[in-house]
Amino acid sequence: MTGRTYLAIPGPSVVPERVLNAMHRASPNIYEGEVVEMMNKLMADLRRVAMTRQNVAIYIANGHGAWEAANANLFSRGDKALLVATGLFGMGWANAAIRMGVDVEILDCGKSGPADPARVAERLKADTAHAIKVLMVTHVDTASSAKNDIVAMRKALDDAGHPALLAVDAVASLGCDELRMDDWGVDIVVGASQKGLMMPPGLGLLWFSDKAKERTAAADLRTPYWDWGPRAIGAEFYLYFGGTAPTLHLFAMREALAMILDEEGLEAVWARHARLARTVWAALEAWSAGNPHIGQNIANPAGRGHSVTAARISNGGALKLRRWLESEAGITLGVGLGMATADEPAYADFFRIGHMGHVNAHMVLGVLASMEAGMEALGISRGSGAVEAAAKTFGKA
Ligand SMILES: *Cc1c(COP(=O)(O)O)cnc(C)c1O
């Protein structure tokens, strides 16, 4: 394959050259010098990216590890939690907590749109004894691409007069969709390095409120490695990481956060993701017009995340198109997740386009035009004018 290949899946995302280059250096001393001295600013910048003045902890882990870190710090065995699920990733977090001994009640809100806040409020109001300790919500479920309204979740808690902590999985949305931890009254934000934060996989992140820290002081699932306390303070350098630091990842993080926070600016990053998302949706809308075998998973644009779009081309079209794009165009699209099991024929009908992190117009428009070429080559019927509609949508915004 000549030219750059493009992994257009919803994580791991494209790592900017600058971030790669930042890692390409000799291993630093972990007892003194640059990495030790850069930690104050790095921790402050991590707080900025989640829009909090409170606490953050870094783990050498992926998103699954960050889920487990959250669970370990929040719960004692047998504690009750309410998890609002809108796709496979919500279910994943719930199952991790269940396996750790948490009594998780799953409020399954389907996978074709965001959760109805009224349903959540109703369930919280019924919990008059306040048995539910934590309300767990996925911000953008990467499998369905549904985006939940976190402000509405906070309001549901407040309207019910319910004291539960609000915990949000923002692995797929942080650095893509608007998220304001302190302003929105969020107690826990779960993140990972390899999606909107433009780093390689390897770092799990946990932001937590002072209230969460006090409330969970006696959590008995907390074990030494996962304990967020010493990590947030870093009384000694190694304590930030519970052991050896992820040295080169720290340089990657410093570079990526500078790009997001100091150069482009967080609000501009959100606006770019919104614009590119609308560009993708415009093409899908044109393709699906009069062609019901093509469609987006989330009908209402307000309920869609800006970092990933889940879609369908029936009769195995999605699988054929993914294969064609990989062999003919150097583009890898995401597989469908959680829509059908791998042994069902419908598994071949789903795909996802990742548009998170280090992406711009030529990358997204290139994917869409290549999809048009692939559908032409494969004889997949579709509405016309998709690439033009996408270009016009980007141009207009
Ligand atoms: C990717 C993702 C995860 C899991 O992250 P891994 O790094 O794959 O373990 C969890 N939640 C959401 C919303 C994600 O997008």
Side-chain angles (χ1 to χ4, degrees):
M1 180 64 58
T2 54
R4 280 283 165 84
T5 57
Y6 176 18
L7 185 66
I9 70 173
S13 63
V14 173
V15 180
E17 303 301 319
R18 283 176 54 184
V19 173
L20 291 171
N21 289 337
M23 300 179 78
H24 192 102
R25 53 182 290 172
S27 286
N29 186 352
I30 54 167
Y31 297 102
E32 58 185 22
E34 191 177 1
V35 282
V36 179
E37 286 157 17
M38 73 195 230
M39 283 311 292
N40 273 345
K41 173 145 175 32
L42 203 60
M43 297 294 275
D45 282 351
L46 277 177
R47 285 190 283 271
R48 280 169 70 198
V49 87
M51 301 206 70
T52 180
R53 296 178 172 281
Q54 302 182 79
N55 312 284
V56 61
I58 304 172
Y59 296 87
I60 299 181
N62 56 21
H64 283 67
W67 277 342
E68 196 152 330
N71 299 339
N73 283 286
L74 286 170
F75 297 113
S76 290
R77 198 168 289 273
D79 275 353
K80 191 163 173 53
L82 179 66
L83 184 136
V84 178
T86 49
L88 191 75
F89 283 87
M91 293 297 183
W93 192 10
N95 287 327
I98 289 165
R99 287 189 59 190
M100 293 170 80
V102 182
D103 177 12
V104 182
E105 177 180 328
I106 298 173
L107 192 68
D108 188 352
C109 296
K111 44 198 178 190
S112 54
D116 177 0
R119 264 188 81 188
V120 179
E122 191 186 326
R123 179 62 193 94
L124 289 168
K125 278 180 192 151
D127 181 33
T128 49
H130 297 165
I132 296 166
K133 297 277 191 294
V134 182
L135 175 63
M136 302 159 79
V137 189
T138 314
H139 189 199
V140 172
D141 195 298
T142 327
S144 65
S145 65
K147 175 164 70 183
N148 284 305
D149 184 342
I150 302 304
V151 174
M153 295 297 151
R154 175 76 263 165
K155 190 166 181 303
L157 282 161
D158 293 346
D159 288 353
H162 200 294
L165 297 170
L166 176 56
V168 175
D169 174 356
V171 172
S173 53
L174 200 75
C176 306
D177 283 87
E178 180 177 6
L179 178 65
R180 302 174 184 271
M181 176 171 159
D182 288 0
D183 289 354
W184 291 1
V186 175
D187 291 294
I188 292 97
V189 172
V190 180
S193 53
Q194 79 276 20
K195 299 197 180 176
L197 299 183
M198 314 192 297
M199 286 174 261
L203 298 181
L205 300 160
L206 214 51
W207 291 261
F208 56 101
S209 67
D210 298 331
K211 181 170 84 184
K213 186 174 157 188
E214 283 159 28
R215 190 83 70 76
T216 63
D220 74 11
L221 285 176
R222 189 175 293 133
T223 52
Y225 183 77
W226 297 109
D227 189 351
W228 59 22
R231 287 173 186 266
I233 293 165
E236 287 186 66
F237 179 67
Y238 81 95
L239 292 171
Y240 279 119
F241 312 103
T244 301
T247 47
L248 301 178
H249 273 69
L250 295 179
F251 293 119
M253 184 185 279
R254 182 168 68 175
E255 195 70 14
L257 292 179
M259 290 172 74
I260 292 169
L261 298 168
D262 301 329
E263 295 172 30
E264 188 172 5
L266 196 50
E267 298 200 352
V269 169
W270 295 337
R272 170 171 52 84
H273 280 85
R275 186 177 178 188
L276 291 171
R278 285 195 301 273
T279 302
V280 171
W281 304 340
L284 280 162
E285 233 161 75
W287 283 322
S288 64
N291 285 274
H293 58 284
I294 301 179
Q296 296 189 63
N297 186 47
I298 309 292
N300 180 359
R304 295 178 192 149
H306 293 167
S307 53
V308 52
T309 298
R312 167 183 53 77
I313 306 174
S314 298
N315 311 312
L319 175 64
K320 284 185 209 143
L321 182 59
R322 280 198 300 105
R323 293 265 182 270
W324 188 93
L325 287 166
E326 199 149 47
S327 67
E328 304 298 318
I331 292 168
T332 304
L333 293 185
V335 299
L337 273 186
M339 298 302 177
T341 58
D343 52 3
E344 288 173 318
Y347 188 72
D349 295 353
F350 297 99
F351 69 102
R352 292 172 303 153
I353 306 172
H355 33 95
M356 55 172 56
H358 193 55
V359 282
N360 60 22
H362 85 73
M363 295 160 83
V364 166
L365 290 170
V367 166
L368 298 171
S370 300
M371 288 174 67
E372 178 77 48
M375 287 191 269
E376 178 69 19
L378 296 165
I380 295 173
S381 59
R382 63 205 180 277
S384 62
V387 174
E388 189 180 349
K392 282 185 171 161
T393 298
F394 187 83
K396 224 171 16 212

